[in-house]
Amino acid sequence: MSMAEEDSKSESTLPASPIVEVLCKSSRKTSRFAVGSKAGFAVSLINRKLEDGAPVALYIEAVKDGEEPISFGPDAVLVNYGEGWKLQTVTELDYGLGIRKKEHVQLIPTQILNKVRTSDGTHSTKAVVKPGISFLYIAKILVAFGLIFVLGAIFTLALENLPRLLLFVNTLT
């Protein structure tokens, strides 16, 4: 194999661009990330740069006219799909467009990013996750079962001793 053939072969295996660009719909700014970056990382960096009151980005999707959008989960690797495709964020406001109020569908993902002002005045994002089963939850269930058993024992004792109580009342009158 000649040196020219090796160079052309190695060039064909390299990615077309070493970066991926993502348009933030809230700020209208384009952010650049290295190929192989995860979508969750990109969303958190984009949200840190948002100004107060700007809608928070929830996730990233690839869009192209006439095509169904491709959504990237937090652990998905950002990929440029080629000509005509562009990566952009999906914000909280995007969920409210075209949705009938009568539908009771949970539209916001389980992890919602909230902007938090840090002590140095900058903004950071913090993931708020719905709590699962915690120790306090299990303790409350055990207390409820305990109360049910105590109440059952009280009523059982009262019913067992009811005939004695009625005889005692009859002897008084």
Side-chain angles (χ1 to χ4, degrees):
M1 211 186 235
S2 71
M3 189 73 128
E5 289 175 354
E6 285 181 25
D7 287 341
S8 66
K9 185 176 181 180
S10 65
E11 286 177 13
S12 65
T13 59
L14 294 176
S17 175
I19 60 168
V20 179
E21 293 184 340
V22 179
L23 171 68
C24 176
K25 290 169 82 176
S26 298
S27 66
R28 296 287 180 211
K29 293 180 183 176
T30 301
S31 300
R32 293 181 173 181
F33 299 95
V35 171
S37 296
K38 296 205 176 195
F41 171 74
V43 168
S44 68
L45 285 181
I46 289 170
N47 284 335
R48 284 184 193 168
K49 295 178 183 178
L50 292 176
E51 297 178 14
D52 285 338
V56 176
L58 299 175
Y59 63 91
I60 296 173
E61 68 180 5
V63 293
K64 181 179 181 181
D65 290 336
E67 296 284 338
E68 185 72 22
I70 301 169
S71 301
F72 291 87
D75 292 330
V77 176
L78 294 177
V79 178
N80 187 355
Y81 287 105
E83 190 66 33
W85 287 92
K86 62 181 178 179
L87 299 179
Q88 66 184 20
T89 59
V90 175
T91 64
E92 295 169 324
L93 295 179
D94 294 330
Y95 278 111
L97 301 176
I99 296 172
R100 287 174 268 151
K101 291 183 180 179
K102 292 182 183 179
E103 294 179 6
H104 296 291
V105 178
Q106 183 172 351
L107 298 172
I108 299 175
T110 56
Q111 279 193 344
I112 300 172
L113 296 175
N114 289 331
K115 290 178 72 171
V116 177
R117 185 178 294 258
T118 58
S119 59
D120 62 353
T122 61
H123 290 86
S124 67
T125 54
K126 178 175 119 178
V128 179
V129 181
K130 286 188 176 183
I133 298 175
S134 66
F135 176 73
L136 183 62
Y137 181 74
I138 293 172
K140 287 179 181 180
I141 290 174
L142 292 176
V143 167
F145 274 117
L147 287 175
I148 288 171
F149 286 122
V150 167
L151 242 112
I154 290 171
F155 282 122
T156 302
L157 286 173
L159 287 174
E160 285 177 354
N161 294 317
L162 185 63
R164 288 188 202 148
L165 179 65
L166 290 176
L167 284 174
F168 179 73
V169 170
N170 279 341
T171 58
L172 292 176
T173 56

